[in-house]
Amino acid sequence: MTTDHAKAAPPDSSGGAAPRHTSEKTDEPTDREVKKLERRSRWYRWDLKYSPYAFISPFFLFFAAFGLFPLIYTGWAAMHQSSLVDPNDMTWLGLDNFTRLWNDEFFWNALRNTFTIGIISTVPQLLMALGLAHVLNYKLRGSMAFRVALLTPYATSIAAATLVFAMLYGRDYGMINWALGLVGIDPVNWEAGTWTSQFAISTIVIWRWTGYNTLIYLAAMQAVPNDLYESASLDGASRWQQFRYVTIPSLRPTIIFTVVVSTIGATQLFGEPLLLAGSPNGGSQSQYQTLGLYLYETGWVNLHLGRAAAIAWAMFLLLIIIGLLYWLLTRLVGKSNGQEA
Amino acid sequence: MASTTDVVATDTAAEPEPAPRRGARKPRGKANQAGGHLRAGWLTYLILIVFSVGSLFPLVWSAIAASHTNARLSEPTPPFWFGDRLFDNLDMAWNDANLGKAMFNTIFVAGTITVSTVLFATLAGFAFAKLRFRAKNLLLLLVIGTMMVPPQLTVVPLFMAIAELEWTDQLQAVILPTMVSAFGVFFMRQYLVQALPSELIEAARMDGANSLRVVWHVVFPAARPAMAVLGMLTFVLAWNEFFWPIIALTQQNPTVQVALTGLGQGYVPDRGVIMAGALLGTLPLLIAFVLFGRQIVGGIMNGALKG
């Protein structure tokens, strides 16, 4: 900043600082200098006015090209027949893809699986994260080491994590069946059953995301003012009551946020079920085929891109419905809470 | 799941429910002292140790498994300590899954995405935090709204586009769609609102600095800590990105994640080699985690805190 003082006059003032280096010249600015000043001040105003747009434009340009346009075009593609072999050769179908989806038992199966896996992975994960955050919020030794350890799964990729878990859940030589054998339980064919395979998938999800959610809760807990706990304990509230009546209500917005994010994540579940069996069919009876996997199978294994696009729109619709439900829910909760307070 | 991660935390933690948030970070742990003498008892430590072990165990075990032959892994009792096959297996995984190329590709892809995301997010974050322009709030809302668009919704047209451009199997097909992130913009905005005093910008303006100079000499220095955190988070996400690369790339020119899926699909899978591959694919991030874990933890927590 310091280099340019001489040249850089406050541009739109009426010439206060310009003459600083003009001692050898006349006091009256020449025509050329006036023009120069004008030009500079015009440039300065433009800069002020338009540079914000220049700064935000990369985001919006990229989003328009790789987010918004594809989003709309997906809707268009969903009304066409289009094969992976020649993706840009499209035949108009109207709403056929959607009616077909409506009558497609695989679609409903995938929807159901997405829902059940979503529930059994999200609910325990967030409950555990809440408890862990509470525990980490105590006065602790080595709390940073625990945090890093809990977050490590976050840095592990879906692919690596799933390969490891697939082996742990192996039927014949998997460690989990071995451990079950120790307590006298017969080996389970985890991948073959509906319930067992969905359980296995959700443990991978839980493993990867619990630590991450823990940190988010912890951050929110540390923002709760201490006086609240002090007055609660003066009133004779036990630790559990403090957690129940001070911590949880203070965390409500954060909890809602994590629920929303986890739900969105659960709707998109893809890598874990793909890699558990190593193929996109989601098991021999599609017992753990999720919507994301079904989309992939339809478009990239069975080569029906138009139908894949229709599945994508169905997922979008689903997200909107879920979003509306949450919105209603938060409004209801907010209202009831407001009355309490 | 991957895609949502870049939504670390938006506004929610922000609303200070009960009272103004004072000393946001300091009083950690104190809260529970309020009840009196209560600090973490042995049960607390036990819980934390159990969960930490649970978090680390699959990774440690994959390293153990990677050091054994497939035959040893097919015995009824799984191994509990390292064998002597680690380097053979790593070697085989490296060659079988084309991991050398995959690693190079991934570093290139993740590096490019990280640099551009941090740069663009800082610029846009600065504009949203400190500059005045028309429709600012509406545009910011739009940025946040874009975080809701799931990647599945865009793959079909994106795939058509790269097929048309003959970019299938080309790295730019993976890089271009993720060069900016809404979360990044929001994250930088939240940081700069607090960390960059407006007087500093005004002073620079008084000195006649134009916007680019202000960015270079004032914004970038002020934003550096947040840029570092955003960079690390972005790199982790880009490294682990799965859904789009597996559609856009093939085993001929894979990223690490794509290469790993190929590893699991052999006819007679050698599980020691698969584990070695999984380990290799995670190792760079694990090393980064050992080195920068504290900062990454801090970054996630701050992302959640600052509304």
Side-chain angles (χ1 to χ4, degrees):
Chain A
M1 220 82 315
T2 51
T3 49
D4 274 320
H5 281 275
K7 283 187 285 172
D12 61 352
S13 71
S14 41
R20 204 199 281 173
H21 60 300
T22 52
S23 47
E24 64 267 65
K25 294 181 187 170
T26 55
D27 273 6
E28 298 259 309
T30 63
D31 271 8
R32 185 190 271 173
E33 273 175 338
V34 168
K35 266 193 188 140
K36 202 169 155 192
L37 272 177
E38 272 176 0
R39 208 166 49 232
R40 196 173 284 156
S41 81
R42 202 182 313 132
W43 168 239
Y44 184 84
R45 269 183 323 221
W46 278 352
D47 182 32
L48 266 191
K49 198 167 172 190
Y50 295 112
S51 60
Y53 296 105
F55 292 156
I56 61 170
S57 59
F59 174 83
F60 284 100
L61 286 178
F62 274 101
F63 174 69
F66 298 107
L68 190 61
F69 170 72
L71 179 74
I72 295 163
Y73 198 84
T74 304
W76 179 246
M79 301 197 187
H80 289 79
Q81 184 179 6
S82 164
S83 163
L84 189 77
V85 183
D86 187 4
N88 293 299
D89 172 27
M90 308 203 302
T91 322
W92 174 258
L93 281 183
L95 292 174
D96 278 10
N97 281 328
F98 289 102
T99 50
R100 198 177 168 141
L101 211 56
W102 186 262
N103 298 316
D104 181 355
E105 59 170 307
F106 285 102
F107 170 73
W108 295 106
N109 172 59
L111 185 63
R112 214 166 32 239
N113 290 341
T114 307
F115 186 74
T116 50
I117 299 176
I119 297 273
I120 60 176
S121 59
T122 306
V123 173
Q125 171 195 337
L126 294 182
L127 286 178
M128 270 161 36
L130 203 55
L132 281 171
H134 179 67
V135 169
L136 270 174
N137 205 17
Y138 285 5
K139 209 177 168 78
L140 269 184
R141 269 167 209 282
S143 103
M144 188 44 95
F146 285 125
R147 287 184 212 179
V148 174
L150 288 175
L151 193 65
T152 312
Y154 167 81
T156 312
S157 67
I158 294 176
T162 309
L163 291 176
V164 175
F165 273 82
M167 206 175 148
L168 288 172
Y169 277 113
R171 187 190 59 186
D172 296 324
Y173 313 110
M175 185 175 255
I176 290 170
N177 277 345
W178 169 82
L180 288 178
L182 289 185
V183 290
I185 298 174
D186 287 339
V188 179
N189 192 354
W190 292 96
E191 195 255 320
T194 305
W195 159 244
T196 52
S197 57
Q198 296 194 359
F199 174 83
I201 287 167
S202 68
T203 55
I204 308 175
V205 178
I206 291 170
W207 180 74
R208 282 191 72 220
W209 294 102
T210 300
Y212 174 85
N213 285 307
T214 301
L215 290 186
I216 290 179
Y217 288 146
L218 181 60
M221 278 181 193
Q222 293 183 352
V224 179
N226 215 15
D227 336 8
L228 284 179
Y229 290 103
E230 272 161 23
S231 56
S233 75
L234 281 179
D235 291 346
S238 71
R239 257 176 156 185
W240 167 250
Q241 283 169 326
Q242 289 181 24
F243 178 72
R244 170 74 186 76
Y245 295 107
V246 179
T247 309
I248 296 291
S250 310
L251 253 56
R252 214 186 57 224
T254 316
I255 292 173
I256 291 171
F257 168 75
T258 53
V259 169
V260 171
V261 169
S262 307
T263 310
I264 295 174
T267 355
Q268 299 166 8
L269 199 66
F270 170 74
E272 291 89 346
L274 175 70
L275 283 159
L276 186 68
S279 74
N281 58 10
S284 47
Q285 276 111 40
S286 301
Q287 69 270 28
Y288 53 89
Q289 185 167 56
T290 58
L291 281 175
L293 209 51
Y294 186 50
L295 180 148
Y296 178 75
E297 191 189 28
T298 306
W300 282 269
V301 178
N302 299 334
L303 313 181
H304 300 303
L305 278 183
R307 278 156 63 187
I311 299 172
W313 263 94
M315 290 175 73
F316 191 44
L317 206 65
L318 192 69
L319 275 177
I320 291 176
I321 294 172
I322 292 173
L324 284 176
L325 280 179
Y326 279 140
W327 181 71
L328 279 177
L329 208 68
T330 45
R331 278 190 56 136
L332 285 177
V333 173
K335 252 190 198 152
S336 67
N337 225 62
Q339 281 162 358
E340 276 171 32
Chain B
M1 217 67 185
S3 59
T4 58
T5 55
D6 46 355
V7 197
V8 167
T10 49
D11 47 335
T12 44
E15 301 165 33
E17 278 278 300
R21 217 203 287 138
R22 74 188 164 83
R25 234 152 314 166
K26 268 287 158 55
R28 191 176 50 103
K30 277 239 179 112
N32 297 286
Q33 282 187 309
H37 45 278
L38 292 172
R39 41 170 79 201
W42 62 271
L43 188 63
T44 310
Y45 285 102
L46 187 70
I47 293 171
L48 285 173
I49 288 169
V50 165
F51 275 91
S52 298
V53 169
S55 292
L56 298 176
F57 169 75
L59 294 170
V60 175
W61 185 78
S62 73
I64 293 176
S67 67
H68 289 280
T69 60
N70 200 31
R72 171 64 188 88
L73 293 172
S74 304
E75 284 170 26
T77 309
F80 286 98
W81 193 244
F82 294 93
D84 54 3
R85 287 272 303 175
L86 182 61
F87 292 100
D88 299 315
N89 282 343
L90 288 176
D91 193 50
M92 271 169 81
W94 185 267
N95 294 322
D96 279 12
N98 207 359
L99 266 179
K101 184 165 193 183
M103 208 74 100
F104 176 82
N105 282 348
T106 313
I107 289 170
F108 180 73
V109 167
T112 315
I113 290 173
T114 303
V115 169
S116 83
T117 301
V118 170
L119 180 71
F120 292 142
T122 309
L123 286 177
F126 162 60
F128 280 120
K130 294 289 169 180
L131 300 181
R132 291 152 61 111
F133 54 96
R134 236 170 227 270
K136 178 164 133 177
N137 291 331
L138 186 74
L139 288 172
L140 184 63
L141 208 63
L142 203 66
V143 171
I144 296 168
T146 64
M147 292 198 267
M148 293 294 173
V149 179
Q152 278 85 354
L153 210 55
T154 55
V155 280
V156 172
L158 282 183
F159 185 80
M160 289 173 168
I162 66 166
E164 184 71 25
L165 295 164
E166 296 183 356
W167 280 3
T168 319
D169 227 12
Q170 306 284 311
L171 294 183
Q172 66 264 33
V174 179
I175 294 171
L176 276 170
T178 30
M179 279 182 81
V180 295
S181 91
F183 164 72
V185 174
F186 189 72
F187 182 86
M188 290 311 301
R189 179 199 171 264
Q190 299 308 90
Y191 183 81
L192 286 173
V193 162
Q194 295 185 340
L196 177 60
S198 300
E199 296 81 38
L200 221 56
I201 304 168
E202 277 158 30
R205 282 280 183 199
M206 287 296 211
D207 286 347
N210 62 32
S211 298
L212 281 180
R213 283 182 161 278
V214 169
V215 165
W216 185 256
H217 293 284
V218 181
V219 178
F220 281 170
R224 196 170 294 152
M227 287 165 96
V229 167
L230 178 63
M232 286 186 283
L233 294 178
T234 308
F235 194 84
V236 171
L237 285 178
W239 184 280
N240 287 335
E241 179 59 38
F242 187 71
F243 183 62
W244 173 239
I246 209 170
I247 286 171
L249 303 178
T250 68
Q251 296 296 340
Q252 307 309 310
N253 194 28
T255 59
V256 169
Q257 307 311 325
V258 176
L260 288 184
T261 61
L263 204 57
Q265 287 168 343
Y267 287 105
V268 189
D270 183 322
R271 292 178 297 167
V273 175
I274 293 175
M275 285 302 103
L279 193 64
L280 276 176
T282 313
L283 211 56
L285 286 190
L286 284 185
I287 292 170
F289 229 69
V290 171
L291 294 176
F292 304 112
R294 183 179 285 264
Q295 281 86 339
I296 296 177
V297 166
I300 286 177
M301 289 193 49
N302 279 334
L305 249 183
K306 290 179 179 157

